[in-house]
Amino acid sequence: MKAHYPILCLALFLLLACQHRKEERAWQERLRQADEQAEIRRLRKAAIAAKPSADSALQMEAYRRSREGRIKIEQETGLGSQFGKGLLPSSLNNNQPLISFMTGPCYGECPQYHLYFWANGDVLYEGLAFAEPMGKRECKIDPKKLQTLLANWTPAFETWQRYYPQGEEPLEGFPFKAISLKLPQGQKIILDYHDAPKGLIQLEKSIDSLAKASFDFPMKTIF
């Protein structure tokens, strides 16, 4: 029996060594998984921290392009020079709409589109940027709706200023909204960046709502 002691001791030693090695590998695997989780958390935090910067850069680039577009619109329509040329593109001047509405760019992805309403009920929509749908669409509405809108808003429209905010430059990043009504004394345009009277804002919403109710497709607009 004593002769087997060395063999038994060696077997016990090997068994303990194997168990220790197994536990060591398990411990190393747990350390590896912990390191992987720590790296994933680090990358996630870095991505979260970088996202505002990335979003800001994209917005700045979008605004730069939009601002260039706004300057072009103001030059073409006269909105940047005391409204000298009027709101409408030259192709529409000979058949002036009763109501015109356009939105301009902002710091971000504000929908840019034009709306024109004619006395006979013709309506033209043109999506320019960040609007849905893009491109031109036409429809027909009851002319009485336009006459009612004009009758309700003409007295107030005649009293509002041509530019808001008054007496100061508009804040950068705000979209402009331009409204034109065909009044008895001629066309009047109001350019609204911000700080406009509540009534003017309500008129803008009314025009926008009339367009949404007129077309048979969903519209992504500024309101």
Side-chain angles (χ1 to χ4, degrees):
M1 187 67 180
K2 292 180 178 180
H4 293 87
Y5 284 167
I7 297 175
L8 292 174
C9 290
L10 179 60
L12 181 60
F13 173 78
L14 292 175
L15 180 62
L16 292 175
C18 289
Q19 184 66 26
H20 176 74
R21 182 61 178 167
K22 183 178 180 181
E23 291 178 353
E24 183 180 5
R25 287 198 298 268
W27 176 251
Q28 289 176 348
E29 177 63 19
R30 287 196 292 271
L31 288 177
R32 186 188 66 79
Q33 292 178 356
D35 289 341
E36 287 184 352
Q37 292 297 323
E39 179 65 11
I40 290 173
R41 289 193 294 270
R42 185 189 68 80
L43 293 175
R44 186 179 294 119
K45 288 181 179 179
I48 293 173
K51 191 175 187 302
S53 298
D55 289 348
S56 178
L58 290 173
Q59 287 182 338
M60 285 295 292
E61 176 61 19
Y63 178 62
R64 182 189 65 78
R65 293 195 303 268
S66 296
R67 181 176 173 80
E68 292 175 354
R70 186 186 79 186
I71 292 173
K72 181 180 179 181
I73 290 172
E74 290 181 345
Q75 290 174 343
E76 291 177 349
T77 62
L79 294 175
S81 58
Q82 303 302 316
F83 317 97
K85 298 179 181 178
L87 174 67
L88 303 179
S90 58
S91 60
L92 300 179
N93 279 335
N94 294 330
N95 185 19
Q96 190 180 74
L98 283 180
I99 303 170
S100 306
F101 180 69
M102 75 162 59
T103 65
C106 70
Y107 176 66
E109 299 183 355
C110 297
Q112 299 170 44
Y113 55 98
H114 295 177
L115 289 169
Y116 304 106
F117 299 84
W118 278 270
N120 64 354
D122 288 341
V123 183
L124 172 63
Y125 162 90
E126 183 176 12
L128 302 176
F130 306 118
E132 293 179 7
M134 297 291 287
K136 295 181 179 180
R137 301 286 193 280
E138 298 178 359
C139 73
K140 192 91 171 180
I141 64 173
D142 184 352
K144 292 181 180 179
K145 293 182 179 180
L146 300 178
Q147 296 297 338
T148 299
L149 190 148
L150 281 176
N152 290 338
W153 288 104
T154 292
F157 197 81
E158 291 176 331
T159 65
W160 290 325
Q161 300 297 315
R162 288 182 173 267
Y163 187 93
Y164 292 97
Q166 299 182 56
E168 61 181 280
E169 290 295 318
L171 297 174
E172 287 291 344
F174 279 75
F176 74 75
K177 299 179 287 292
I179 306 177
S180 168
L181 296 189
K182 191 175 181 181
L183 305 176
Q185 64 271 30
Q187 182 193 39
K188 179 179 179 180
I189 305 166
I190 296 179
L191 183 59
D192 168 24
Y193 279 95
H194 53 84
D195 297 339
K198 291 182 179 180
L200 180 58
I201 297 173
Q202 184 58 49
L203 172 58
E204 295 168 354
K205 292 181 178 180
S206 297
I207 295 173
D208 199 78
S209 297
L210 181 58
K212 287 180 177 177
S214 302
F215 287 96
D216 58 357
F217 51 80
M219 295 172 58
K220 178 184 177 183
T221 66
I222 202 166
F223 295 110

PDB file of all heavy atoms in Angstrom, residues 91-121:
ATOM      1  N   SER A  91     -42.790  84.214 -64.016  1.00  0.00           N
ATOM      2  CA  SER A  91     -43.735  83.418 -64.793  1.00  0.00           C
ATOM      3  C   SER A  91     -45.163  83.526 -64.287  1.00  0.00           C
ATOM      4  O   SER A  91     -46.107  83.164 -64.988  1.00  0.00           O
ATOM      5  CB  SER A  91     -43.301  81.944 -64.786  1.00  0.00           C
ATOM      6  OG  SER A  91     -43.275  81.448 -63.456  1.00  0.00           O
ATOM      7  N   LEU A  92     -45.344  84.014 -63.049  1.00  0.00           N
ATOM      8  CA  LEU A  92     -46.685  84.119 -62.474  1.00  0.00           C
ATOM      9  C   LEU A  92     -47.192  85.560 -62.419  1.00  0.00           C
ATOM     10  O   LEU A  92     -48.338  85.792 -62.060  1.00  0.00           O
ATOM     11  CB  LEU A  92     -46.710  83.530 -61.066  1.00  0.00           C
ATOM     12  CG  LEU A  92     -46.336  82.049 -60.934  1.00  0.00           C
ATOM     13  CD1 LEU A  92     -46.390  81.624 -59.475  1.00  0.00           C
ATOM     14  CD2 LEU A  92     -47.256  81.184 -61.760  1.00  0.00           C
ATOM     15  N   ASN A  93     -46.349  86.520 -62.711  1.00  0.00           N
ATOM     16  CA  ASN A  93     -46.728  87.917 -62.527  1.00  0.00           C
ATOM     17  C   ASN A  93     -47.915  88.324 -63.387  1.00  0.00           C
ATOM     18  O   ASN A  93     -48.707  89.178 -63.002  1.00  0.00           O
ATOM     19  CB  ASN A  93     -45.534  88.827 -62.832  1.00  0.00           C
ATOM     20  CG  ASN A  93     -44.570  88.910 -61.661  1.00  0.00           C
ATOM     21  OD1 ASN A  93     -44.969  88.691 -60.529  1.00  0.00           O
ATOM     22  ND2 ASN A  93     -43.316  89.205 -61.942  1.00  0.00           N
ATOM     23  N   ASN A  94     -48.035  87.743 -64.573  1.00  0.00           N
ATOM     24  CA  ASN A  94     -49.133  88.116 -65.468  1.00  0.00           C
ATOM     25  C   ASN A  94     -50.464  87.538 -65.020  1.00  0.00           C
ATOM     26  O   ASN A  94     -51.509  87.932 -65.537  1.00  0.00           O
ATOM     27  CB  ASN A  94     -48.822  87.666 -66.899  1.00  0.00           C
ATOM     28  CG  ASN A  94     -47.631  88.411 -67.486  1.00  0.00           C
ATOM     29  OD1 ASN A  94     -47.386  89.556 -67.119  1.00  0.00           O
ATOM     30  ND2 ASN A  94     -46.898  87.755 -68.369  1.00  0.00           N
ATOM     31  N   ASN A  95     -50.426  86.594 -64.134  1.00  0.00           N
ATOM     32  CA  ASN A  95     -51.657  85.987 -63.613  1.00  0.00           C
ATOM     33  C   ASN A  95     -51.520  85.915 -62.098  1.00  0.00           C
ATOM     34  O   ASN A  95     -51.370  84.846 -61.524  1.00  0.00           O
ATOM     35  CB  ASN A  95     -51.867  84.605 -64.218  1.00  0.00           C
ATOM     36  CG  ASN A  95     -53.189  83.978 -63.811  1.00  0.00           C
ATOM     37  OD1 ASN A  95     -54.105  84.669 -63.369  1.00  0.00           O
ATOM     38  ND2 ASN A  95     -53.278  82.666 -63.937  1.00  0.00           N
ATOM     39  N   GLN A  96     -51.571  87.061 -61.477  1.00  0.00           N
ATOM     40  CA  GLN A  96     -51.233  87.177 -60.067  1.00  0.00           C
ATOM     41  C   GLN A  96     -52.230  86.441 -59.172  1.00  0.00           C
ATOM     42  O   GLN A  96     -53.444  86.666 -59.271  1.00  0.00           O
ATOM     43  CB  GLN A  96     -51.180  88.650 -59.681  1.00  0.00           C
ATOM     44  CG  GLN A  96     -50.596  88.892 -58.302  1.00  0.00           C
ATOM     45  CD  GLN A  96     -50.568  90.371 -57.996  1.00  0.00           C
ATOM     46  OE1 GLN A  96     -51.586  90.975 -57.721  1.00  0.00           O
ATOM     47  NE2 GLN A  96     -49.379  90.944 -58.053  1.00  0.00           N
ATOM     48  N   PRO A  97     -51.762  85.560 -58.291  1.00  0.00           N
ATOM     49  CA  PRO A  97     -52.662  84.864 -57.366  1.00  0.00           C
ATOM     50  C   PRO A  97     -53.273  85.836 -56.349  1.00  0.00           C
ATOM     51  O   PRO A  97     -52.717  86.897 -56.064  1.00  0.00           O
ATOM     52  CB  PRO A  97     -51.749  83.853 -56.662  1.00  0.00           C
ATOM     53  CG  PRO A  97     -50.558  83.721 -57.555  1.00  0.00           C
ATOM     54  CD  PRO A  97     -50.386  85.068 -58.191  1.00  0.00           C
ATOM     55  N   LEU A  98     -54.412  85.418 -55.798  1.00  0.00           N
ATOM     56  CA  LEU A  98     -54.998  86.194 -54.703  1.00  0.00           C
ATOM     57  C   LEU A  98     -54.133  86.084 -53.446  1.00  0.00           C
ATOM     58  O   LEU A  98     -53.954  87.064 -52.724  1.00  0.00           O
ATOM     59  CB  LEU A  98     -56.405  85.669 -54.391  1.00  0.00           C
ATOM     60  CG  LEU A  98     -57.544  86.057 -55.328  1.00  0.00           C
ATOM     61  CD1 LEU A  98     -58.839  85.423 -54.835  1.00  0.00           C
ATOM     62  CD2 LEU A  98     -57.682  87.560 -55.418  1.00  0.00           C
ATOM     63  N   ILE A  99     -53.613  84.889 -53.189  1.00  0.00           N
ATOM     64  CA  ILE A  99     -52.845  84.627 -51.974  1.00  0.00           C
ATOM     65  C   ILE A  99     -51.584  83.856 -52.349  1.00  0.00           C
ATOM     66  O   ILE A  99     -51.645  82.893 -53.124  1.00  0.00           O
ATOM     67  CB  ILE A  99     -53.653  83.804 -50.952  1.00  0.00           C
ATOM     68  CG1 ILE A  99     -54.950  84.526 -50.599  1.00  0.00           C
ATOM     69  CG2 ILE A  99     -52.830  83.519 -49.698  1.00  0.00           C
ATOM     70  CD1 ILE A  99     -55.920  83.669 -49.786  1.00  0.00           C
ATOM     71  N   SER A 100     -50.458  84.283 -51.812  1.00  0.00           N
ATOM     72  CA  SER A 100     -49.197  83.570 -52.008  1.00  0.00           C
ATOM     73  C   SER A 100     -48.522  83.410 -50.659  1.00  0.00           C
ATOM     74  O   SER A 100     -48.617  84.290 -49.793  1.00  0.00           O
ATOM     75  CB  SER A 100     -48.264  84.333 -52.959  1.00  0.00           C
ATOM     76  OG  SER A 100     -48.911  84.613 -54.182  1.00  0.00           O
ATOM     77  N   PHE A 101     -47.852  82.287 -50.485  1.00  0.00           N
ATOM     78  CA  PHE A 101     -47.185  81.997 -49.214  1.00  0.00           C
ATOM     79  C   PHE A 101     -45.923  81.200 -49.496  1.00  0.00           C
ATOM     80  O   PHE A 101     -45.971  80.207 -50.226  1.00  0.00           O
ATOM     81  CB  PHE A 101     -48.129  81.201 -48.308  1.00  0.00           C
ATOM     82  CG  PHE A 101     -47.544  80.847 -46.958  1.00  0.00           C
ATOM     83  CD1 PHE A 101     -47.306  81.832 -46.024  1.00  0.00           C
ATOM     84  CD2 PHE A 101     -47.246  79.536 -46.631  1.00  0.00           C
ATOM     85  CE1 PHE A 101     -46.781  81.510 -44.781  1.00  0.00           C
ATOM     86  CE2 PHE A 101     -46.726  79.202 -45.390  1.00  0.00           C
ATOM     87  CZ  PHE A 101     -46.488  80.200 -44.462  1.00  0.00           C
ATOM     88  N   MET A 102     -44.805  81.649 -48.938  1.00  0.00           N
ATOM     89  CA  MET A 102     -43.570  80.893 -49.112  1.00  0.00           C
ATOM     90  C   MET A 102     -42.813  80.839 -47.790  1.00  0.00           C
ATOM     91  O   MET A 102     -42.955  81.730 -46.943  1.00  0.00           O
ATOM     92  CB  MET A 102     -42.677  81.500 -50.201  1.00  0.00           C
ATOM     93  CG  MET A 102     -41.940  82.776 -49.817  1.00  0.00           C
ATOM     94  SD  MET A 102     -40.552  83.159 -50.911  1.00  0.00           S
ATOM     95  CE  MET A 102     -41.363  83.284 -52.485  1.00  0.00           C
ATOM     96  N   THR A 103     -42.095  79.774 -47.602  1.00  0.00           N
ATOM     97  CA  THR A 103     -41.248  79.629 -46.419  1.00  0.00           C
ATOM     98  C   THR A 103     -39.799  79.540 -46.864  1.00  0.00           C
ATOM     99  O   THR A 103     -39.493  79.032 -47.949  1.00  0.00           O
ATOM    100  CB  THR A 103     -41.612  78.371 -45.612  1.00  0.00           C
ATOM    101  OG1 THR A 103     -41.327  77.205 -46.402  1.00  0.00           O
ATOM    102  CG2 THR A 103     -43.071  78.380 -45.218  1.00  0.00           C
ATOM    103  N   GLY A 104     -38.915  80.034 -46.001  1.00  0.00           N
ATOM    104  CA  GLY A 104     -37.492  80.031 -46.308  1.00  0.00           C
ATOM    105  C   GLY A 104     -36.707  79.128 -45.378  1.00  0.00           C
ATOM    106  O   GLY A 104     -37.268  78.477 -44.496  1.00  0.00           O
ATOM    107  N   PRO A 105     -35.395  79.085 -45.560  1.00  0.00           N
ATOM    108  CA  PRO A 105     -34.540  78.165 -44.802  1.00  0.00           C
ATOM    109  C   PRO A 105     -34.331  78.604 -43.364  1.00  0.00           C
ATOM    110  O   PRO A 105     -34.561  79.758 -42.997  1.00  0.00           O
ATOM    111  CB  PRO A 105     -33.215  78.199 -45.578  1.00  0.00           C
ATOM    112  CG  PRO A 105     -33.206  79.565 -46.202  1.00  0.00           C
ATOM    113  CD  PRO A 105     -34.634  79.845 -46.562  1.00  0.00           C
ATOM    114  N   CYS A 106     -33.884  77.657 -42.546  1.00  0.00           N
ATOM    115  CA  CYS A 106     -33.568  77.933 -41.152  1.00  0.00           C
ATOM    116  C   CYS A 106     -32.302  77.172 -40.786  1.00  0.00           C
ATOM    117  O   CYS A 106     -31.704  76.491 -41.624  1.00  0.00           O
ATOM    118  CB  CYS A 106     -34.710  77.497 -40.231  1.00  0.00           C
ATOM    119  SG  CYS A 106     -34.903  75.701 -40.124  1.00  0.00           S
ATOM    120  N   TYR A 107     -31.892  77.292 -39.518  1.00  0.00           N
ATOM    121  CA  TYR A 107     -30.770  76.523 -39.009  1.00  0.00           C
ATOM    122  C   TYR A 107     -31.275  75.119 -38.696  1.00  0.00           C
ATOM    123  O   TYR A 107     -31.738  74.826 -37.614  1.00  0.00           O
ATOM    124  CB  TYR A 107     -30.208  77.187 -37.758  1.00  0.00           C
ATOM    125  CG  TYR A 107     -29.080  76.408 -37.101  1.00  0.00           C
ATOM    126  CD1 TYR A 107     -27.867  76.252 -37.745  1.00  0.00           C
ATOM    127  CD2 TYR A 107     -29.244  75.827 -35.857  1.00  0.00           C
ATOM    128  CE1 TYR A 107     -26.836  75.546 -37.156  1.00  0.00           C
ATOM    129  CE2 TYR A 107     -28.224  75.113 -35.254  1.00  0.00           C
ATOM    130  CZ  TYR A 107     -27.018  74.974 -35.913  1.00  0.00           C
ATOM    131  OH  TYR A 107     -26.007  74.260 -35.326  1.00  0.00           O
ATOM    132  N   GLY A 108     -31.242  74.265 -39.697  1.00  0.00           N
ATOM    133  CA  GLY A 108     -31.789  72.930 -39.544  1.00  0.00           C
ATOM    134  C   GLY A 108     -32.504  72.501 -40.806  1.00  0.00           C
ATOM    135  O   GLY A 108     -32.062  72.818 -41.910  1.00  0.00           O
ATOM    136  N   GLU A 109     -33.604  71.812 -40.657  1.00  0.00           N
ATOM    137  CA  GLU A 109     -34.305  71.233 -41.795  1.00  0.00           C
ATOM    138  C   GLU A 109     -35.754  71.711 -41.855  1.00  0.00           C
ATOM    139  O   GLU A 109     -36.694  70.926 -41.904  1.00  0.00           O
ATOM    140  CB  GLU A 109     -34.252  69.706 -41.733  1.00  0.00           C
ATOM    141  CG  GLU A 109     -32.837  69.153 -41.780  1.00  0.00           C
ATOM    142  CD  GLU A 109     -32.788  67.637 -41.784  1.00  0.00           C
ATOM    143  OE1 GLU A 109     -33.869  67.009 -41.659  1.00  0.00           O
ATOM    144  OE2 GLU A 109     -31.680  67.074 -41.892  1.00  0.00           O
ATOM    145  N   CYS A 110     -35.937  73.014 -41.830  1.00  0.00           N
ATOM    146  CA  CYS A 110     -37.285  73.574 -41.934  1.00  0.00           C
ATOM    147  C   CYS A 110     -37.826  73.361 -43.350  1.00  0.00           C
ATOM    148  O   CYS A 110     -37.111  73.601 -44.326  1.00  0.00           O
ATOM    149  CB  CYS A 110     -37.270  75.067 -41.616  1.00  0.00           C
ATOM    150  SG  CYS A 110     -36.767  75.440 -39.918  1.00  0.00           S
ATOM    151  N   PRO A 111     -39.073  72.914 -43.483  1.00  0.00           N
ATOM    152  CA  PRO A 111     -39.653  72.721 -44.820  1.00  0.00           C
ATOM    153  C   PRO A 111     -39.697  74.031 -45.599  1.00  0.00           C
ATOM    154  O   PRO A 111     -40.126  75.061 -45.077  1.00  0.00           O
ATOM    155  CB  PRO A 111     -41.065  72.206 -44.519  1.00  0.00           C
ATOM    156  CG  PRO A 111     -40.984  71.647 -43.138  1.00  0.00           C
ATOM    157  CD  PRO A 111     -39.994  72.489 -42.405  1.00  0.00           C
ATOM    158  N   GLN A 112     -39.230  73.993 -46.829  1.00  0.00           N
ATOM    159  CA  GLN A 112     -39.260  75.156 -47.710  1.00  0.00           C
ATOM    160  C   GLN A 112     -40.192  74.843 -48.881  1.00  0.00           C
ATOM    161  O   GLN A 112     -39.970  73.887 -49.610  1.00  0.00           O
ATOM    162  CB  GLN A 112     -37.858  75.474 -48.218  1.00  0.00           C
ATOM    163  CG  GLN A 112     -36.876  75.810 -47.096  1.00  0.00           C
ATOM    164  CD  GLN A 112     -35.453  75.873 -47.596  1.00  0.00           C
ATOM    165  OE1 GLN A 112     -35.178  76.443 -48.648  1.00  0.00           O
ATOM    166  NE2 GLN A 112     -34.530  75.270 -46.851  1.00  0.00           N
ATOM    167  N   TYR A 113     -41.223  75.665 -49.037  1.00  0.00           N
ATOM    168  CA  TYR A 113     -42.214  75.402 -50.070  1.00  0.00           C
ATOM    169  C   TYR A 113     -42.943  76.688 -50.420  1.00  0.00           C
ATOM    170  O   TYR A 113     -42.889  77.682 -49.679  1.00  0.00           O
ATOM    171  CB  TYR A 113     -43.223  74.345 -49.605  1.00  0.00           C
ATOM    172  CG  TYR A 113     -43.909  74.673 -48.290  1.00  0.00           C
ATOM    173  CD1 TYR A 113     -45.170  75.251 -48.256  1.00  0.00           C
ATOM    174  CD2 TYR A 113     -43.274  74.426 -47.078  1.00  0.00           C
ATOM    175  CE1 TYR A 113     -45.783  75.564 -47.059  1.00  0.00           C
ATOM    176  CE2 TYR A 113     -43.876  74.731 -45.881  1.00  0.00           C
ATOM    177  CZ  TYR A 113     -45.125  75.297 -45.863  1.00  0.00           C
ATOM    178  OH  TYR A 113     -45.722  75.613 -44.662  1.00  0.00           O
ATOM    179  N   HIS A 114     -43.616  76.689 -51.571  1.00  0.00           N
ATOM    180  CA  HIS A 114     -44.418  77.821 -52.032  1.00  0.00           C
ATOM    181  C   HIS A 114     -45.862  77.368 -52.201  1.00  0.00           C
ATOM    182  O   HIS A 114     -46.123  76.224 -52.599  1.00  0.00           O
ATOM    183  CB  HIS A 114     -43.903  78.338 -53.378  1.00  0.00           C
ATOM    184  CG  HIS A 114     -42.531  78.924 -53.318  1.00  0.00           C
ATOM    185  ND1 HIS A 114     -41.872  79.386 -54.434  1.00  0.00           N
ATOM    186  CD2 HIS A 114     -41.679  79.123 -52.276  1.00  0.00           C
ATOM    187  CE1 HIS A 114     -40.680  79.844 -54.084  1.00  0.00           C
ATOM    188  NE2 HIS A 114     -40.536  79.683 -52.786  1.00  0.00           N
ATOM    189  N   LEU A 115     -46.794  78.276 -51.932  1.00  0.00           N
ATOM    190  CA  LEU A 115     -48.214  78.033 -52.155  1.00  0.00           C
ATOM    191  C   LEU A 115     -48.811  79.225 -52.889  1.00  0.00           C
ATOM    192  O   LEU A 115     -48.551  80.377 -52.530  1.00  0.00           O
ATOM    193  CB  LEU A 115     -48.953  77.835 -50.821  1.00  0.00           C
ATOM    194  CG  LEU A 115     -48.687  76.540 -50.058  1.00  0.00           C
ATOM    195  CD1 LEU A 115     -49.269  76.639 -48.646  1.00  0.00           C
ATOM    196  CD2 LEU A 115     -49.303  75.359 -50.798  1.00  0.00           C
ATOM    197  N   TYR A 116     -49.602  78.961 -53.908  1.00  0.00           N
ATOM    198  CA  TYR A 116     -50.273  80.012 -54.661  1.00  0.00           C
ATOM    199  C   TYR A 116     -51.748  79.644 -54.815  1.00  0.00           C
ATOM    200  O   TYR A 116     -52.089  78.515 -55.173  1.00  0.00           O
ATOM    201  CB  TYR A 116     -49.649  80.186 -56.052  1.00  0.00           C
ATOM    202  CG  TYR A 116     -48.163  80.459 -56.028  1.00  0.00           C
ATOM    203  CD1 TYR A 116     -47.260  79.470 -56.401  1.00  0.00           C
ATOM    204  CD2 TYR A 116     -47.663  81.694 -55.639  1.00  0.00           C
ATOM    205  CE1 TYR A 116     -45.895  79.703 -56.381  1.00  0.00           C
ATOM    206  CE2 TYR A 116     -46.302  81.945 -55.613  1.00  0.00           C
ATOM    207  CZ  TYR A 116     -45.418  80.944 -55.981  1.00  0.00           C
ATOM    208  OH  TYR A 116     -44.069  81.181 -55.959  1.00  0.00           O
ATOM    209  N   PHE A 117     -52.633  80.625 -54.550  1.00  0.00           N
ATOM    210  CA  PHE A 117     -54.081  80.427 -54.659  1.00  0.00           C
ATOM    211  C   PHE A 117     -54.626  81.481 -55.620  1.00  0.00           C
ATOM    212  O   PHE A 117     -54.467  82.689 -55.371  1.00  0.00           O
ATOM    213  CB  PHE A 117     -54.762  80.591 -53.298  1.00  0.00           C
ATOM    214  CG  PHE A 117     -54.290  79.612 -52.249  1.00  0.00           C
ATOM    215  CD1 PHE A 117     -53.143  79.869 -51.510  1.00  0.00           C
ATOM    216  CD2 PHE A 117     -55.004  78.446 -51.976  1.00  0.00           C
ATOM    217  CE1 PHE A 117     -52.705  78.989 -50.533  1.00  0.00           C
ATOM    218  CE2 PHE A 117     -54.576  77.562 -51.008  1.00  0.00           C
ATOM    219  CZ  PHE A 117     -53.426  77.824 -50.279  1.00  0.00           C
ATOM    220  N   TRP A 118     -55.292  81.036 -56.682  1.00  0.00           N
ATOM    221  CA  TRP A 118     -55.859  81.957 -57.655  1.00  0.00           C
ATOM    222  C   TRP A 118     -57.360  82.158 -57.414  1.00  0.00           C
ATOM    223  O   TRP A 118     -58.004  81.327 -56.770  1.00  0.00           O
ATOM    224  CB  TRP A 118     -55.634  81.446 -59.073  1.00  0.00           C
ATOM    225  CG  TRP A 118     -54.270  81.752 -59.610  1.00  0.00           C
ATOM    226  CD1 TRP A 118     -53.881  82.861 -60.315  1.00  0.00           C
ATOM    227  CD2 TRP A 118     -53.100  80.938 -59.464  1.00  0.00           C
ATOM    228  NE1 TRP A 118     -52.541  82.784 -60.620  1.00  0.00           N
ATOM    229  CE2 TRP A 118     -52.029  81.619 -60.111  1.00  0.00           C
ATOM    230  CE3 TRP A 118     -52.837  79.710 -58.850  1.00  0.00           C
ATOM    231  CZ2 TRP A 118     -50.747  81.112 -60.170  1.00  0.00           C
ATOM    232  CZ3 TRP A 118     -51.547  79.203 -58.899  1.00  0.00           C
ATOM    233  CH2 TRP A 118     -50.512  79.891 -59.548  1.00  0.00           C
ATOM    234  N   ALA A 119     -57.885  83.235 -57.950  1.00  0.00           N
ATOM    235  CA  ALA A 119     -59.293  83.606 -57.725  1.00  0.00           C
ATOM    236  C   ALA A 119     -60.263  82.542 -58.239  1.00  0.00           C
ATOM    237  O   ALA A 119     -61.363  82.387 -57.705  1.00  0.00           O
ATOM    238  CB  ALA A 119     -59.592  84.951 -58.386  1.00  0.00           C
ATOM    239  N   ASN A 120     -59.868  81.793 -59.272  1.00  0.00           N
ATOM    240  CA  ASN A 120     -60.765  80.769 -59.831  1.00  0.00           C
ATOM    241  C   ASN A 120     -60.715  79.444 -59.062  1.00  0.00           C
ATOM    242  O   ASN A 120     -61.367  78.476 -59.455  1.00  0.00           O
ATOM    243  CB  ASN A 120     -60.433  80.523 -61.299  1.00  0.00           C
ATOM    244  CG  ASN A 120     -59.032  79.947 -61.489  1.00  0.00           C
ATOM    245  OD1 ASN A 120     -58.257  79.823 -60.526  1.00  0.00           O
ATOM    246  ND2 ASN A 120     -58.687  79.618 -62.714  1.00  0.00           N
ATOM    247  N   GLY A 121     -59.904  79.391 -57.983  1.00  0.00           N
ATOM    248  CA  GLY A 121     -59.805  78.178 -57.183  1.00  0.00           C
ATOM    249  C   GLY A 121     -58.605  77.305 -57.488  1.00  0.00           C
ATOM    250  O   GLY A 121     -58.414  76.267 -56.847  1.00  0.00           O
TER     251      GLY A 121
END
